[in-house]
Amino acid sequence: MAKMEVKTSLLDDMIGVGDMVLLEPLNEDSFINNLKKRFDHNEVYTYIGSVVISINPYRSLPIYTPEKVEEYRNRNFYELSPHIFALADEAYRSLRDQDKDQCILITGESGAGKTEASKLVMSYVAAVCGKGAEVNQVKEQLLQSNPVLEAFGNAKTARNDNSSRFGKYMDIEFDFKGDPLGGVISNYLLEKSRVVKQPRGERNFHIFYQILSGASEEFLCKLKLERDFSRYNYLGLDSARVNGVDDASNFRTVRNAMQIVGFMDHETQSVFEVVAAVLKLGNIKFKPESRANGLDESKIKDKNELKEICELTGIDQSVLERAFSFRTVEAKQEKVSTTLNVAQAYYARDALAKNLYSRLFSWLVTRINESIKAQTKVRKKVMGVLDIYGFEIFEDNSFEQFIINYCNEKLQQIFIELTLKEEQEEYIREGIEWTHIEYFNNAIICDLIENNQTGILAMLDEECLRPGTVTDDTFLEKLNQVCATHQHFESRMSKCSRFLNDTSLPHSCFRIQHYAGKVMYQVEGFVDKNNDLLYRDLSQAMWKANHSLIKALFPEGNPAKINLKRPPTAGSQFKASVATLMKNLQNKNPNYIRCIKPNEKKAADIFNEALVCHQIRYLGLLENVRVRRAGYAFRQAYEPCLERYKMLCRQTWPHWRGPARAGVEVLFNELRIPEEEFSFGRSKIFIRNPRTLFKLEDLRKQRLEDLATLIGKIYRGWKCRTRFLLMKRSQIVIASWYRRYAQQKRYQKIKSSAITVQSYIRGWKARKLLRELKHLKRCNEAATVIAAYWHGTQARRELKRLKEEARRKHAVAVIWAYWLGLKVRREYRKFFRANAGRKIYEFTLQRIMQKYFLEMKNKMPSLSPIDKTWPARPYLFLDSTHRELKRIFHLWRCKKYRDQFTDQQKLIYEEKLEASELFKDKKALYPASVGQPFQGAYLEISENPKYKKLTDAVDEKIIIAEVVNKINRANGKAASRIFLLTKNNVLLADQKSGTIKSEVPLGDVTKVSMSSQNDGFFAVHLKEGSEAASKGDFLLSSNHLIEMATKLYRTTLSQTKQKLNIEISDEFLVQFKQEKVCVKFIQGSQKNGNIPTCKRKNNRLLEVAVP
């Protein structure tokens, strides 16, 4: 497989121009055409010097794989094709190796891919930095903070399905090795107005739809929500579903991300409860009512929604209802309460929803920062990633667009300043003379907006704080007075006569000429949005909530900390945040990513030139190129420059032995490039005009073609010579092999003839010898046959003689044996008759016993102790032996069975045996309990967080934990309690809260009483005079009565060395405080099924009806 060619410069195989600084000619059309040409070839990244232009492809491209990460890792910025990974690698290596804090500024329109770009930067840094369990955990937390913030801060808009509706700046902190330690996130201007109202075709924040789509039915029930989107007024229905977006899956991703980041379960639950409360606030509706004094008043139509909100948040319903109907104004020592009409009530409801959600979002950012912040106090290196909204020009622009565009003006200002500063520093560092560069300075526009005396924000704050009637029109009048003469401010009502007849500028609007173009702002809503007021009654109502999170979100609602000072306005807050951000960015080395949206349809392979042109203008990209080209358009280190162009000079090709700078000087002198077109720095060559660079590239391309021709010629000659030498060697080898073959064939022929002659001679000799041997063999065979016949005759005669002699000897031996036997029988006949009977009896008896035991061996029953079968007795005289053998076998198999028991099983059987001795044939409930194992712990108290308080209070080992019913002495009704038996105490606890109600030492338990019937009632009698007996005895009911009584009996015996009295009677006395009550058990009806019922008949009698 051929090795893949590796690019060594962005000039190699370049599609269009990879760096706009090299674009010739430089104008708006050529700029757009170059972007379009690269976009059509899936080249979505282009450079302007060190700035990356990113065009959203609206589809997945195979350029973000792990292989790509490794390809761009530790490579020079201009070494490979333009890519976002190149910028991320440059920033990370500068931070790690040069100890320079970095910031990456990502700007662009909504839908241009800013959020995805920030994700790519973070994922690249996470891939190339160190490894290890702790480092991986930090990286995972940093990456997983994105899904959480996207769910709560992003929404579907007309331009983008995942549009960030807030500005985010994240500082990622690294140690000296370049491993991440943690991070800090700052958020700017959440678009909280989206909570209560969305433009047509857009959605509310993602989290609302994710909860309703992905939460389980049980979880929705806890949040008092329904899955139907149409049930909620705050959710736009025309775009509730988004193609390609799985809200249910995203909800699971968000919950998992919150867990990874470090949210506790109760914190996650609290967050979703607040989200549900915001969603349900939109369903509250008001109706008008007239009071006696003639004032209008509002009332809530349906209080069910209000009730559910109060249950979710722990707020008193009457308090919240009053906060929606009245407003209290405090001035010094006076309080004035006024009613709210329907419009004011709806305003208060929406203001509460917006404030509740925006404060929740700020709390989320703070909580994430607590989890991801660096734990060590060592000096840290910082890389900041700024993902913030781009310049916005809509048909109707309001306060939000004004604030956003102000932020972009500040970013453009710092961009130009830092770009020029970076250029100047490089020139000084390289010893190149710095020339002043003319550029548009937008500081005048920033001053128009942020000046503390005459700025638009200062005028807006002054108007909001002014006593008297304040409206948007009065604010516009003030602007017309103060800013009328400003060259970047336009208003039809201003003193400047040139706009009086401008029909494109309505009377209720003003226009600002930003660096990106003119933007007309509708003044309506400026004052209200800048005030951002929430009635104090609502803040105090929220502070009174039993919900810990909501209470923490509204600290100003605390009556003890009432502050009559007016809170800062939204504009002043944002201005201060932007100032802090600018100060932070100026202390870091900047890296820029300019995101561009190619079309409004969010479709792939569509390039709308008009839309791209609009973005190029307001991003100031052409201005950026001109700034970069004002001095030298291209610069490159001497080593790569010499390596790339050394083939253009005979002295430097193929190897230059001296310093790289000297080689470049020789090269440029040889090429006769004018001296004004380049300049030598300390480590780089600077080229002024792109045409010079392209001329070098053309010469290099031509030279490469010539070198390719030369290499081809040399290769073909080498190939022909090699083939000739190979054919010559082959001819010599073939000739030598043929001569060898011919000699081998001749030798084989001579050898074959000699072998044939030899074989004929050997054959004749062999046949002659064979004839002689055959004759000799026939003579020997005849003599052998005659001898054999003779020997056979002799042998038969001898055998016959020996047989006759043997018959005679055998006859003598038989006769002698018969004679000896006759003599023995005559001598012992009398003795044999006297003992024969006893011997036969003993022999017969022995045979019977042997047969009995052998049959028993084959008829033995199983080894189960409960198997009562036994083989039948074969003979009557073996009866006692048969019974004894049965007893011994049973004892033996019982021992074998017991030997298999574990200690735990032995304890269980001991308890079962104890229960048998206590209750067998005494309690009708006992037979049903025999087959049930004694478990003891029927409640998993230690594993249930509900009973954590109970677990902490009980230090001893729990022998039995069971839910019982405690009988009320007043009415005979039952209440659920947790019955706990420990080594030293009996405890009763509340089943819901786990609070211990009673604790009785085992020494104070004197007796347990129960009936003989099939019920679970029992009484625990306590020692008179003991502390536990102050409230009287316990009358309880349990489903595991036999087990509880047995364990109580054994535990008491083990601890006190005294047997607990178990009384079984259908009528017994129970001490209730100072009086004794008789408990009587009777046979009842089947109305309640098989459940025993208890009734109080009088002050002295409780009747238990047992079915």
Side-chain angles (χ1 to χ4, degrees), residues 753-855:
S753 301
I755 290 173
T756 303
V757 173
Q758 291 175 357
S759 64
Y760 275 105
I761 294 173
R762 285 194 295 271
W764 173 75
K765 288 184 177 180
R767 287 191 294 275
K768 180 179 178 183
L769 180 60
L770 179 61
R771 285 193 297 272
E772 294 175 354
L773 291 175
K774 284 182 177 180
H775 177 72
L776 181 61
K777 181 180 178 181
R778 282 196 294 271
C779 293
N780 291 335
E781 286 178 352
T784 302
V785 169
I786 294 170
Y789 273 102
W790 167 248
H791 292 315
T793 302
Q794 293 290 95
R796 284 191 291 274
R797 288 177 181 174
E798 182 65 20
L799 178 62
K800 185 177 180 181
R801 184 184 65 78
L802 292 174
K803 285 183 177 180
E804 185 65 28
E805 185 177 352
R807 278 196 294 273
R808 287 197 295 270
K809 289 182 179 179
H810 178 66
V812 172
V814 170
I815 294 170
W816 177 248
Y818 271 98
W819 166 246
L820 290 178
L822 179 61
K823 286 177 69 176
V824 170
R825 283 191 294 277
R826 286 176 181 175
E827 185 176 351
Y828 291 100
R829 184 174 296 157
K830 185 182 284 187
F831 176 78
F832 176 76
R833 287 178 179 174
N835 296 285
R838 185 171 59 83
K839 293 289 186 180
I840 294 171
Y841 171 75
E842 290 177 355
F843 176 77
T844 305
L845 189 62
Q846 182 179 4
R847 292 297 297 164
I848 290 173
M849 292 296 290
Q850 287 177 350
K851 182 179 179 183
Y852 167 70
F853 284 117
L854 290 173
E855 290 179 350

Side-chain angles (χ1 to χ4, degrees), residues 59 62 181 190 219 259 264 485 560 617 672 681 761 767 790 1061:
R59 62 190 178 96
L181 297 174
L190 176 72
F219 191 64
Q259 185 177 6
M264 306 297 290
T485 58
R617 288 174 181 173
R672 297 180 181 178
I761 294 173
R767 287 191 294 275
W790 167 248
N1061 185 12

Side-chain angles (χ1 to χ4, degrees), residues 628-735:
R628 291 285 302 192
R629 290 179 56 168
Y632 292 91
F634 182 77
R635 70 233 37 203
Q636 191 175 27
Y638 290 121
E639 289 79 3
C641 179
L642 181 61
E643 185 67 25
R644 184 168 185 83
Y645 302 112
K646 64 181 180 181
M647 72 285 297
L648 302 180
C649 176
R650 293 178 179 275
Q651 300 177 48
T652 58
W653 177 259
H655 300 294
W656 173 256
R657 304 299 181 184
R661 173 170 177 166
V664 174
E665 291 177 355
V666 170
L667 175 64
F668 275 51
N669 291 331
E670 178 75 16
L671 295 175
R672 297 180 181 178
I673 296 175
E675 293 184 359
E676 63 272 11
E677 287 296 318
F678 64 91
S679 182
F680 293 105
R682 290 189 177 91
S683 62
K684 296 180 181 178
I685 175 73
F686 288 75
I687 298 176
R688 184 179 300 278
N689 199 308
R691 287 191 297 271
T692 303
L693 180 65
F694 293 141
K695 178 183 177 182
L696 288 174
E697 285 296 313
D698 291 340
L699 291 173
R700 179 177 181 272
K701 184 177 180 182
Q702 181 61 43
R703 181 58 178 161
L704 288 176
E705 291 177 358
D706 295 342
L707 290 174
T709 303
L710 177 62
I711 292 170
K713 179 181 70 173
I714 295 173
Y715 171 74
R716 287 191 295 274
W718 170 83
K719 188 174 182 181
C720 289
R721 284 193 301 274
T722 304
R723 186 170 181 273
F724 168 75
L725 293 175
L726 178 62
M727 292 179 65
K728 182 177 180 181
R729 287 195 298 271
S730 300
Q731 186 270 335
I732 294 171
V733 171
I734 292 171

